[in-house]
């Protein structure tokens, strides 16, 4: 770190759980963010500000007027621009230490392996189950930790799925791939703006823990946030012994 | 006996009139199970994903055996994928 960086990241360096060593890990980190919407906005903002060296941000949608109530990466002047590209422009104004690779596409099983392979941590901030399942499969195939958040109306969820931890479930242990697909879109159901900030900020926190310490305390736990009652609940997430995505990993294990 | 029913996200459309925000106090019968409440309020299977009583997760296979008791809070979440 040079003098400017020592100053810029001094409030992190002061934290004994981060220190210079942890900040250097953040600076050399590469995070893949799937979705540059309500969750992706706080994720990218906090990670860029904290000095994550590389962010790959994927989104196939364009900025729309209805996004701006909560998607803080975007601006009215960029309505019509691809969201990944809009994010790259915004992050460049936040921190020159953070390099953004913008992927202006809805990524799927074809594109994901190469993108996930290059990343240290993957953030799920998309708006649909098919992308979420595809990302989960690739993360578990390649052994990359996945920080997954979701938000709709006044309800939010967050968990971490880490294939490197034997006891960790995968996303499909919680949401089986063969469940009937029900898409709960913000466009039809609505979403409370700061809810996405709350869940996305927590996702950013778990990404930083994974970069600094290599693990997240949220692995194997699901947090449920009720933004109407200002209440959190949590539940343990066990592995599903018959999960078609992750039950084969760590041979010799019985599952849970 | 009364319990509190809390329905989240898209499930909140199934709350009866009189609900405050996403919850309502409901009368429950002696020995009425979690599964019976789910049926009483016509909650579709595809939307009943996570069921918690006083913050403790109730597995799908246990819903019919778990009776709701006076003062307990039954919270039900649909699958959520919004971002």
């Amino acid at each position: 770190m040079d003098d400017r960086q020592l100053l810029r990241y001094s409030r992190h360096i002061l934290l004994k759980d981060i220190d210079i060593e942890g900040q250097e890990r953040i600076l050399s980190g590469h995070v893949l963010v799937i979705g540059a919407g309500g969750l992706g906005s706080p994720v990218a903002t906090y990670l860029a500000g904290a000095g994550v060296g590389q962010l790959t941000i994927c989104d196939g949608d364009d900025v729309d007027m209805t996004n701006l109530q909560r998607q803080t990466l975007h601006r009215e002047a960029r309505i019509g621009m691809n969201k990944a590209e809009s994010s790259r422009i915004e992050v460049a104004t936040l921190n020159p230490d953070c390099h953004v690779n913008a992927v202006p596409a809805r990524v799927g099983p074809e594109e994901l392996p190469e993108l996930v392979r290059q990343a240290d941590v993957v953030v799920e901030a998309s708006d649909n189950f098919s992308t979420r399942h595809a990302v989960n499969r690739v993360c578990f195939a390649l052994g990359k930790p996945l920080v997954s958040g979701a938000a709709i109306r006044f309800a939010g969820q967050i968990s971490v799925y880490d294939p490197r931890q034997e006891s960790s479930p995968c996303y499909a242990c919680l949401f089986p791939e063969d469940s009937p697909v029900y898409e709960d879109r913000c466009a039809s159901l609505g979403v409370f703006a700061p809810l996405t900030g709350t869940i996305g900020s927590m996702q950013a926190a778990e990404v930083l823990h994974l970069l600094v310490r290599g693990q997240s305390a949220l692995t194997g736990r699901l947090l449920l946030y009720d933004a109407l009652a200002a209440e959190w609940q949590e539940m343990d997430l066990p592995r599903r012994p018959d999960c078609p995505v992750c039950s084969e990993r760590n041979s010799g294990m019985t599952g849970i | 006996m009364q319990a509190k029913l809390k329905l989240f996200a898209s499930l909140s459309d199934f709350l009866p009139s009189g609900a405050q925000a996403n919850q309502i106090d409901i009368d429950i019968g002696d020995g009425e199970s979690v599964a019976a409440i789910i049926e009483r309020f016509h909650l579709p299977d595809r939307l009943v994903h996570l069921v918690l009583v006083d913050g403790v997760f109730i597995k799908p296979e246990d819903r019919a055996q778990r009776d709701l008791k006076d003062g307990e809070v039954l919270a039900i979440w649909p699958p959520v994928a919004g971002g």
Side-chain angles (χ1 to χ4, degrees):
Chain A
M1 270 185 280
D2 58 27
D3 285 351
R4 181 188 109 355
Q5 290 175 314
L6 287 169
L7 184 62
R8 179 171 181 116
Y9 306 115
S10 58
R11 300 308 189 260
H12 259 171
I13 293 167
L14 281 167
L15 300 170
K16 68 177 174 51
D17 294 301
I18 296 183
D19 212 328
I20 287 183
E21 198 182 329
Q23 186 59 46
E24 282 175 341
R25 288 192 190 128
I26 293 171
L27 284 162
S28 60
H30 185 166
V31 178
L32 173 63
V33 182
I34 310 292
L39 298 174
S41 287
V43 167
T45 301
Y46 278 109
L47 295 184
V52 169
Q54 280 202 75
L55 286 179
T56 297
I57 303 178
C58 310
D59 202 308
D61 291 343
D62 295 339
V63 178
D64 179 275
M65 183 66 99
T66 63
N67 301 148
L68 301 177
Q69 153 252 27
R70 65 195 181 284
Q71 300 185 14
T72 55
L73 277 175
H74 310 305
R75 298 289 176 265
E76 281 203 22
R78 296 200 291 273
I79 286 173
M81 182 186 291
N82 170 267
K83 285 188 185 177
E85 184 59 22
S86 171
S87 305
R88 193 185 59 75
I89 291 170
E90 194 64 21
V91 169
T93 68
L94 273 174
N95 188 354
D97 289 341
C98 179
H99 177 76
V100 174
N101 318 304
V103 179
R106 176 167 169 162
V107 293
E110 299 258 305
E111 304 83 9
L112 281 167
E114 192 50 37
L115 294 168
V116 171
R117 191 172 287 116
Q118 293 169 6
D120 300 304
V121 180
V122 179
V123 177
E124 177 51 80
S126 76
D127 64 355
N128 65 88
F129 282 109
S130 62
T131 299
R132 286 169 184 268
H133 283 302
V135 170
N136 177 60
R137 273 193 178 267
V138 175
C139 285
F140 272 72
L142 299 178
K144 302 289 180 154
L146 172 62
V147 180
S148 181
I152 197 86
R153 285 191 173 165
F154 290 92
Q157 298 183 351
I158 174 174
S159 189
V160 173
Y161 306 97
D162 191 342
R164 304 166 306 172
Q165 307 269 339
E166 288 194 349
S167 60
S168 174
C170 79
Y171 182 74
C173 292
L174 176 64
F175 295 94
E177 288 183 335
D178 56 2
S179 297
V181 176
Y182 167 74
E183 298 290 350
D184 50 355
R185 301 219 167 250
C186 295
S188 51
L189 292 179
V191 61
F192 188 48
L195 167 68
T196 56
T198 304
I199 300 296
S201 299
M202 286 204 63
Q203 288 182 275
E206 296 316 307
V207 170
L208 292 180
H209 289 316
L210 283 159
L211 289 176
V212 171
R213 295 190 285 131
Q215 57 187 325
S216 160
L218 204 47
T219 305
R221 298 160 57 208
L222 176 70
L223 297 187
L224 305 157
Y225 177 51
D226 175 357
L228 275 170
E231 279 179 1
W232 289 88
Q233 293 193 316
E234 82 164 87
M235 53 178 278
D236 290 337
L237 287 183
R239 288 181 69 175
R240 252 192 340 137
D242 59 343
C243 176
V245 176
C246 76
S247 62
E248 295 293 314
R249 86 180 200 277
N250 303 332
S251 56
M253 293 256 324
T254 51
I256 297 177
Chain B
M1 293 198 300
Q2 276 210 321
K4 195 180 291 293
L5 175 66
K6 293 187 72 171
L7 299 178
F8 291 91
S10 51
L11 272 175
S12 57
D13 295 341
F14 292 84
L15 282 164
S17 59
Q20 299 276 330
N22 60 349
Q23 55 184 282
I24 189 166
D25 291 322
I26 57 169
D27 293 320
I28 51 169
D30 194 24
E32 192 168 13
S33 69
V34 167
I37 303 280
I38 290 170
E39 197 177 318
R40 167 143 63 107
F41 287 92
H42 310 292
L43 308 182
D45 277 352
R46 66 186 171 88
L47 292 184
V48 178
H49 181 229
L50 302 175
V51 174
L52 298 97
V53 174
D54 281 355
V56 177
F57 177 64
I58 309 295
K59 292 181 190 171
E61 59 268 32
D62 296 339
R63 290 172 192 163
Q65 286 82 46
R66 176 59 164 86
D67 295 345
L68 217 51
K69 300 182 190 74
D70 191 40
E72 285 186 324
V73 179
L74 172 61
I76 305 178
W77 289 69
V80 292

